[in-house]
Amino acid sequence: MNQSFDVIVMGAGFGGSLMATILQSSGLSVGLIDKTSHPRFTIGESSTPAADYLLGEIASTYGLYELEPLTQFGSWRETHPDLLCGCKRGFSYFWHGSENGFCATVDHQHELLVTANRSRSQADTQWYRPDVDPFFVEMAQKRGVTYFDNSEVTQIDHLTTHDWRLTFQQIECEYNWEAKFLIDASGPAGVLLNELNLPDWTDQLSTESHAVYSHWDKVHPIDDWLMDQKADTKNYPYPVKDSAIHHLFKDGWLWQIRFENNLQSVGFVSQGSPSNDSESADRFWNQILDQHPIIKEVIGTAQLSEIPGKLFQSGKLQRLWGTAAGEDWAALPFTVGFIDPLHSTGIAQTLHGVNRLAKTLLGQPSEGRTMALKSYSAKVLNEFLLIDRLVAGCYAGLNDFRLFTAFSMIYFAAATKFEQCWKGGAKTETGYLCAEDERFVDLTNRYSAKIIRLSDQPSITEEQVARFCKNLEIDLAPYNHVGLFRPDAPNMYRYTSVK
């Protein structure tokens, strides 16, 4: 069967489906194909204020009003009670890296809570991707996008500029599609990027990590665990269960993301590259539990949920292609690369990429589109390089929570600065997480290198820690508009949301 489109999108995660919907709603004909089918599990379930702003901007710009309720937890639950999500009031960190493990103190020496918004109704959301991604696919179909799942691309031919021929198999049928423009939204598979044989930039990244993860039922309530630890929660800025929870160890960290039906996403991210690719996920998970027995107390008698019903184990998480777009093709950020789930950057970066690429394709005259696509490519790559330094520096600080806490303020400064620019209308001033601000990028690179050098030393003095933290506070001051470094209660940030 032969069909012709203006654009073909490969990959039907929420980013690919949203991209297809925008283009179709704007008058282009779009074909959307996916190798597998929904529902499915994927890393990247925690949104941020930036993601909410971006989704709202996309909804209003392109008339996708069904997306507007998804920009806040309260409206999401009221409008789509059957679309599973969780409440995210902020980021919570508990450090288990001291000689005696986590120790609850009045001055919160091993705790860090950073508020992202002011109430539960206005909160960000944890996206249960097995529900959310199919919602975006259905939206695309309702808007007229031609969609095929369980389709294996067998051949891509590029006859000339703006003349692509794509062959794929669905069950026993072969289909031939033609298009003027291709968009690769296939994630790690990189269907088009592999075909183009692009340069690999992964070796430019400083972060090295891998993960084991799944969805779980009957996870021990975090409030009960905190009570067991005798934690002083009276000045916590929000209920910890309504946040992205990070349990930090010297060799990695455990995440907990809670959904409204008490299902949880739980995974452990280990530093370094995996040592044994053939090792089963179950065996690796059991090794993690043996090496970090406190995790058994944190999750209690948790059981793998019926869906997906198994553990997943990644290889090395980091990847980065050296180009994100050409004259008649482009790739969404999650296909171009991935760093690490530590700062919950994935959803917002994907939405930012979709928004930017849509404006490039729809708002640029044809003679200026090539340069705009080159600019898109450069900006996506710069974002990944910045996120890499933001994550690598935090990993270097896992040995000393004071260093981790101080360095993490760079990310929170970048996030809040981006949010303020977006809300204030200067939507191109700094780029995503200030990736287009040369001074900020230089600051991040310098302090990432400094903290990595400190972590490589056999021992670190109190003076070195104090000097690092103080110097960073001073240098970050131009980007610190929400009271970072000096909360009313130690490590308890109540008001970092954009007013």
Side-chain angles (χ1 to χ4, degrees), residues 206-209 253 269 271 317-318 338-345 384-398 404 407-408 410-411 433 444 448 451-452:
S206 299
T207 310
E208 278 194 307
S209 61
W253 60 284
V269 184
Q271 284 202 73
L317 288 169
Q318 292 68 46
F338 184 76
I339 304 301
D340 191 274
L342 181 63
H343 292 316
S344 300
T345 54
F384 278 115
L385 294 175
L386 175 63
I387 294 169
D388 172 60
R389 302 319 188 253
L390 292 170
V391 172
C394 281
Y395 275 133
L398 288 178
F404 176 92
F407 188 86
S408 70
I410 304 179
Y411 163 73
L433 295 180
T444 303
S448 181
I451 197 172
I452 289 172

Side-chain angles (χ1 to χ4, degrees), residues 45 84-85 126-133 215 259 263 307:
E45 296 177 298
L84 185 59
C85 69
Q126 321 281 22
W127 291 19
Y128 182 66
R129 296 286 294 277
D131 277 4
V132 175
D133 284 16
H215 285 151
F259 303 104
L263 188 74
I307 298 174

Side-chain angles (χ1 to χ4, degrees), residues 69 71-77 87 89 117-125:
T71 61
Q72 291 185 333
F73 175 75
S75 56
W76 181 320
R77 290 295 294 163
C87 177
R89 292 287 311 281
N117 36 66
R118 294 173 177 267
S119 69
R120 204 166 197 264
S121 64
Q122 297 175 333
D124 307 320
T125 45

Side-chain angles (χ1 to χ4, degrees), residues 182-193:
L182 291 190
I183 296 177
D184 193 342
S186 63
V191 176
L192 176 60
L193 301 190

Side-chain angles (χ1 to χ4, degrees), residues 11-39:
F14 79 88
S17 299
L18 179 57
M19 189 79 244
T21 302
I22 291 171
L23 298 179
Q24 183 78 32
S25 301
S26 301
L28 301 180
S29 59
V30 183
L32 174 66
I33 61 172
D34 197 273
K35 183 176 181 179
T36 60
S37 60
H38 296 288

Side-chain angles (χ1 to χ4, degrees), residues 12 16-18 20-22 24-25 30-33 38 66 133-149 170:
S17 299
L18 179 57
T21 302
I22 291 171
Q24 183 78 32
S25 301
V30 183
L32 174 66
I33 61 172
H38 296 288
E66 58 267 53
D133 284 16
F135 175 86
F136 278 86
V137 170
E138 292 170 8
M139 178 181 67
Q141 291 178 287
K142 289 176 181 177
R143 297 281 174 151
V145 173
T146 300
Y147 172 59
F148 279 65
D149 63 3
Q170 187 193 54

Side-chain angles (χ1 to χ4, degrees), residues 425-460:
K427 299 171 185 177
T428 60
E429 182 180 333
T430 64
Y432 180 58
L433 295 180
C434 303
E436 295 167 39
D437 184 327
E438 293 183 7
R439 185 174 61 168
F440 182 84
V441 172
D442 176 67
L443 181 153
T444 303
N445 290 339
R446 284 190 290 109
Y447 276 92
S448 181
K450 286 181 180 180
I451 197 172
I452 289 172
R453 284 197 301 269
L454 277 177
S455 69
D456 288 338
Q457 295 181 192
S459 61
I460 306 173

Side-chain angles (χ1 to χ4, degrees), residues 240-309:
V240 171
K241 66 180 181 180
D242 290 342
S243 67
I245 301 170
H246 308 69
H247 295 273
L248 307 177
F249 302 85
K250 289 186 176 182
D251 63 340
W253 60 284
L254 181 85
W255 81 67
Q256 287 184 266
I257 292 174
R258 176 180 170 273
F259 303 104
E260 280 300 284
N261 63 352
N262 288 320
L263 188 74
Q264 286 198 24
S265 173
V266 178
F268 191 90
V269 184
S270 299
Q271 284 202 73
S273 296
S275 58
N276 186 354
D277 293 338
S278 63
E279 185 177 50
S280 71
D282 294 273
R283 181 176 296 180
F284 181 55
W285 175 249
N286 288 329
Q287 287 179 2
I288 296 296
L289 296 180
D290 291 341
Q291 294 164 2
H292 309 86
I294 189 66
I295 294 177
K296 296 177 183 178
E297 297 180 24
V298 170
I299 67 173
T301 57
Q303 302 173 358
L304 288 171
S305 65
E306 185 176 345
I307 298 174

